[in-house]
Amino acid sequence: MDASSFDHILRKVVIVPIVAILVGAGILAWQIQSASATVTLIQTQDERINQTLGIEQLIVDQETGLRGYEVTHDLRLLQPYLNAQAKFPETFRKRRELAATNPARQKALDALRSAHDTWEQSFASPLISTIQAGGDTNDVALNYQGKLLMDEIRKRIADLNVTTVHAREVAVEHWHKQVRNTIFFLIACSILLGLTIGLYVRRLIKQVSGAFRQSHNVLRIRAEQTFRSEEKLRTTLKSIGDGVITCDAEGRVQSINDTAQELTGWSETEARSQPLDEVFAIFDETTRQPLENPVTRVTRSNQTVRLQNHTILKRRDGTEIFIEDSGAPIRDKHARLVGVVLVFRDVTLAKRSQQALLANEKLAVAGRLAASIAHEIHNPLDSVSNLLFLMDGVATDEERTHFLLLAKQEIARVTQISRAMLSLYRESKAPVKIDLREMLDSILLLMEVRFQTLGVHVAHDVPGGLCVHGFPAELRQVFTNLLTNAAEASGPGGTVKLAALPQPARNDEDGIHHDEGVIVTVEDNGPGIPENILAQLFQPFFTTKGERGTGLGLWISRGIITKHGGTIDLESSTAEQHHGTTISVFLATNPTINPAPASS
């Protein structure tokens, strides 16, 4: 059961009893309202009875006042009659209004009023007039008629009272019945609601209980899986060949695997909660300056970062090793940075092997040029020897002057060749401004004899003023390799084209910015390179020259160009009509020199 289902059940537990109670309360309110209406009816009946009794009392007052006046002829005793006579119309009107919804009662009231009017007109008023006139009021017939009329009035009042009292008794009985029904309903509703809510809640609680047991089992299984996963991860971290250090967001070490302990010289117990700078002290190989804490770099960029390839780790015992590493952020489920994981490895042996390979490749390049350079130097020296011999002979002064000038030119040529040879391996400690035309001309000068031996014609179009910043010896090595490969691919009678063009700053179709620089192309008209070989050309130790090649030239060349922030691209065609290979090298005018080694 997921959280939404659990919330749905909880809502049912709350809502269903409330709805049931509201329904019961509604029915109860209806019962109470009905009983209240019955009570109102009883009160109305009581008021009717009271009004009828009021009418009866007025009639009694009239008869009493009339009989007293008849006996005494004293007007003071007639006053109750007169007062009741004045009040009778209003009292009767109110009584009739109470019977407005009952035509039968209105008819009975009208009959009472008619009987009263008859009594007043036929007996009371004539009797008063007779007394006032001094007549005889002992007339038996007249008094008997008055009695009959009064009996009729009393009968009407009695009938009206009986009807009203009966109606009241019916209403009272109905009210008692409603009270009993309400009490019964309350009891029945309470029992029914209690049972319904209890059974319903019991069913829901059973669902929740079942879901809880299921969730408990799932959590137990997941806990076991998590434990096994953590154990597997812990075992993996202990046995992994790379060093792994995890830190919190503040850069304090949380865990360190066995390899990292061996590489740093810190045990896990000693390293835990220590600042990463204490455990993982790194600095630059060249400048010997401390490097920025990887945790700081990851926290600032919030992405995976890699250390410079010239990074040295100072172990706890003071020894130093070359390392390569990367740092990656650890995020919680809300994508907030909660820590950093650092993975690194010892590349000391690989770096030394790489340096040995670079040295071997330089020696190979030097070996390929040695014969050509020796021959190139030998020829001018032979010329100088011959010129000196001629100058020592019977030559005239004018001839000696001419011979001396030729000897100086040959010595200058030897000096130029030797300087070009020295510059091939004389490395500067920082990037310098390089005139590409001057550098490429010196390379062509050194390789002139090599091109002649291979029977290759070199056409070059390198305008002056094209300058870049970089390491001259490394770039000379690159173009020496490329020109040598092109000449050997072209073969006797072939042609190698060397060209350079300025490249303005631009943005490509993907919006990527390209800096201002120079594109140098080396094109040959050899047979071309098959597609199945193209993908392997830049891999170390792969060569198509057999024992004549080391398989390192292009690999090292690409590393040097990458170090200079440039690119090297190769296109080749094996078509019958148009075949050959073109290598394009882009060098930025003011690159950001990547301190990575040449093999990167």
Side-chain angles (χ1 to χ4, degrees):
M1 179 180 293
D2 55 14
S4 60
S5 300
F6 184 74
D7 292 339
H8 183 64
I9 291 176
L10 289 181
R11 285 194 294 270
K12 284 183 178 180
V13 171
V14 175
I15 293 174
V16 170
I18 292 176
V19 171
I21 292 173
L22 289 177
V23 172
I27 297 174
L28 181 60
W30 173 74
Q31 291 282 348
I32 293 174
Q33 184 179 6
S34 178
S36 178
T38 303
V39 171
T40 303
L41 179 61
I42 293 172
Q43 291 174 344
T44 302
Q45 297 296 342
D46 288 340
E47 189 174 354
R48 289 171 182 169
I49 293 172
N50 291 333
Q51 291 288 349
T52 303
L53 292 177
I55 293 173
E56 185 178 12
Q57 184 62 43
L58 291 175
I59 293 174
V60 170
D61 289 344
Q62 278 186 306
E63 184 181 17
T64 301
L66 181 61
R67 291 301 179 185
Y69 180 66
E70 181 183 4
V71 174
T72 63
H73 296 274
D74 187 349
L75 288 174
R76 290 178 297 178
L77 296 178
L78 186 60
Q79 193 62 41
Y81 173 85
L82 298 176
N83 293 337
Q85 187 182 30
K87 294 178 181 180
F88 188 84
E90 179 65 19
T91 304
F92 188 84
R93 183 188 63 76
K94 292 181 179 180
R95 177 63 182 85
R96 198 174 189 281
E97 286 179 354
L98 293 174
T101 59
N102 194 330
R105 289 179 182 173
Q106 284 188 340
K107 186 175 181 180
L109 286 171
D110 292 340
L112 174 61
R113 177 68 181 269
S114 177
H116 176 265
D117 292 344
T118 301
W119 176 78
E120 277 190 343
Q121 295 171 5
S122 300
F123 175 72
S125 295
L127 182 61
I128 294 171
S129 298
T130 300
I131 294 172
Q132 289 176 348
D136 185 11
T137 58
N138 294 322
D139 185 0
V140 175
L142 179 62
N143 286 305
Y144 184 72
Q145 182 184 2
K147 175 182 178 301
L148 292 177
L149 292 174
M150 184 55 65
D151 289 341
E152 180 65 20
I153 291 173
R154 289 193 176 97
K155 181 178 179 301
R156 299 284 183 185
I157 291 175
D159 291 341
L160 190 61
N161 281 334
V162 168
T163 303
T164 305
V165 170
H166 178 71
R168 182 182 183 280
E169 290 176 351
V170 171
V172 170
E173 180 61 28
H174 181 65
W175 179 77
H176 285 302
K177 183 178 180 181
Q178 286 179 323
V179 171
R180 289 193 300 271
N181 290 340
T182 300
I183 294 172
F184 174 77
F185 171 77
L186 282 175
I187 297 172
C189 186
S190 298
I191 295 173
L192 181 61
L193 284 177
L195 289 175
T196 302
I197 293 173
L199 292 175
Y200 187 74
V201 171
R202 179 175 176 271
R203 184 170 67 88
L204 294 179
I205 290 176
K206 287 182 66 177
Q207 291 181 1
V208 173
S209 177
F212 175 77
R213 287 194 299 271
Q214 183 180 359
S215 299
H216 177 72
N217 292 333
V218 171
L219 289 175
R220 180 177 55 79
I221 294 172
R222 288 180 179 176
E224 293 175 355
Q225 293 174 345
T226 302
F227 177 76
R228 288 195 296 268
S229 177
E230 289 179 349
E231 285 296 317
K232 184 177 180 181
L233 178 61
R234 191 175 293 108
T235 303
T236 302
L237 287 177
K238 285 182 175 296
S239 59
I240 197 170
D242 290 346
V244 180
I245 299 176
T246 60
C247 304
D248 58 21
E250 286 72 33
R252 294 190 174 275
V253 176
Q254 290 183 323
S255 66
I256 177 171
N257 73 340
D258 292 346
T259 304
Q261 294 177 47
E262 181 181 350
L263 294 178
T264 61
W266 287 74
S267 67
E268 185 171 11
T269 303
E270 294 170 333
R272 187 177 289 114
S273 300
Q274 292 292 330
L276 183 62
D277 288 333
E278 294 289 332
V279 179
F280 192 72
I282 55 176
F283 56 92
D284 185 83
E285 173 192 8
T286 305
T287 64
R288 307 299 295 183
Q289 295 296 318
L291 295 177
E292 185 180 21
N293 188 323
V295 174
T296 304
R297 292 181 59 191
V298 172
T299 304
R300 184 177 64 249
S301 63
N302 200 26
Q303 61 183 1
T304 301
V305 299
R306 295 186 62 85
L307 286 185
Q308 300 175 356
N309 289 327
H310 285 215
T311 301
I312 290 180
L313 171 64
K314 187 174 183 179
R315 304 175 74 243
R316 194 176 188 184
D317 58 7
T319 58
E320 299 176 355
I321 58 174
F322 289 95
I323 62 167
E324 289 182 355
D325 82 335
S326 63
I330 302 174
R331 298 184 177 91
D332 60 12
K333 63 180 180 180
H334 302 294
R336 292 177 301 202
L337 183 70
V338 296
V340 174
V341 59
L342 186 67
V343 181
F344 62 98
R345 62 182 179 274
D346 183 3
V347 294
T348 305
L349 180 60
K351 188 172 182 65
R352 290 173 180 170
S353 300
Q354 185 182 84
Q355 291 172 346
L357 290 176
L358 290 173
N360 289 337
E361 176 61 14
K362 286 185 178 182
L363 290 175
V365 173
R368 288 194 296 267
L369 296 176
S372 299
I373 293 172
H375 185 272
E376 189 70 16
I377 293 176
H378 181 72
N379 288 337
L381 291 178
D382 281 344
S383 298
V384 171
S385 298
N386 292 332
L387 290 170
L388 290 174
F389 175 77
L390 293 174
M391 289 172 63
D392 192 40
V394 293
T396 64
D397 291 339
E398 184 179 352
E399 289 176 336
R400 287 190 182 95
T401 302
H402 179 65
F403 292 155
L404 180 61
L405 178 61
L406 292 176
K408 288 181 178 179
Q409 291 177 351
E410 293 298 325
I411 292 297
R413 177 175 174 78
V414 171
T415 302
Q416 184 182 13
I417 293 173
S418 64
R419 286 177 179 174
M421 183 62 182
L422 289 174
S423 66
L424 182 62
Y425 297 104
R426 183 181 296 140
E427 182 63 276
S428 58
K429 294 187 179 296
V432 297
K433 187 175 181 179
I434 304 170
D435 188 318
L436 286 179
R437 180 174 181 174
E438 179 182 342
M439 181 186 71
L440 293 174
D441 283 346
S442 66
I443 295 174
L444 292 175
L445 176 63
L446 290 175
M447 299 183 66
E448 184 176 349
V449 175
R450 176 65 173 166
F451 293 147
Q452 292 175 359
T453 302
L454 292 173
V456 175
H457 171 69
V458 178
H460 62 281
D461 181 14
V462 181
L466 298 180
C467 297
V468 298
H469 286 78
F471 297 95
E474 292 185 355
L475 293 180
R476 284 190 179 94
Q477 181 180 351
V478 170
F479 290 112
T480 299
N481 279 326
L482 298 182
L483 287 168
T484 300
N485 290 341
E488 292 176 351
S490 297
T495 300
V496 175
K497 296 179 180 179
L498 174 65
L501 291 173
Q503 179 73 29
R506 61 187 178 87
N507 293 323
D508 61 17
E509 296 179 353
D510 297 327
I512 299 175
H513 178 73
H514 296 273
D515 295 330
E516 176 186 7
V518 179
I519 293 181
V520 180
T521 57
V522 178
E523 180 182 356
D524 66 64
N525 61 350
I529 303 172
E531 291 187 3
N532 60 334
I533 296 179
L534 279 175
Q536 306 177 62
L537 284 180
F538 289 98
Q539 296 179 4
F541 303 109
F542 178 81
T543 179
T544 59
K545 301 178 183 179
E547 295 183 357
R548 293 186 299 109
T550 63
L552 298 173
L554 287 179
W555 174 62
I556 292 175
S557 297
R558 186 181 64 176
I560 292 173
I561 297 301
T562 302
K563 171 182 175 179
H564 284 72
T567 58
I568 180 169
D569 299 305
L570 188 148
E571 295 181 358
S572 188
S573 172
T574 57
E576 183 176 353
Q577 296 296 329
H578 302 284
H579 51 78
T581 302
T582 301
I583 295 182
S584 301
V585 176
F586 171 77
L587 295 171
T589 303
N590 294 293
T592 300
I593 301 297
N594 182 359
S599 63
S600 61

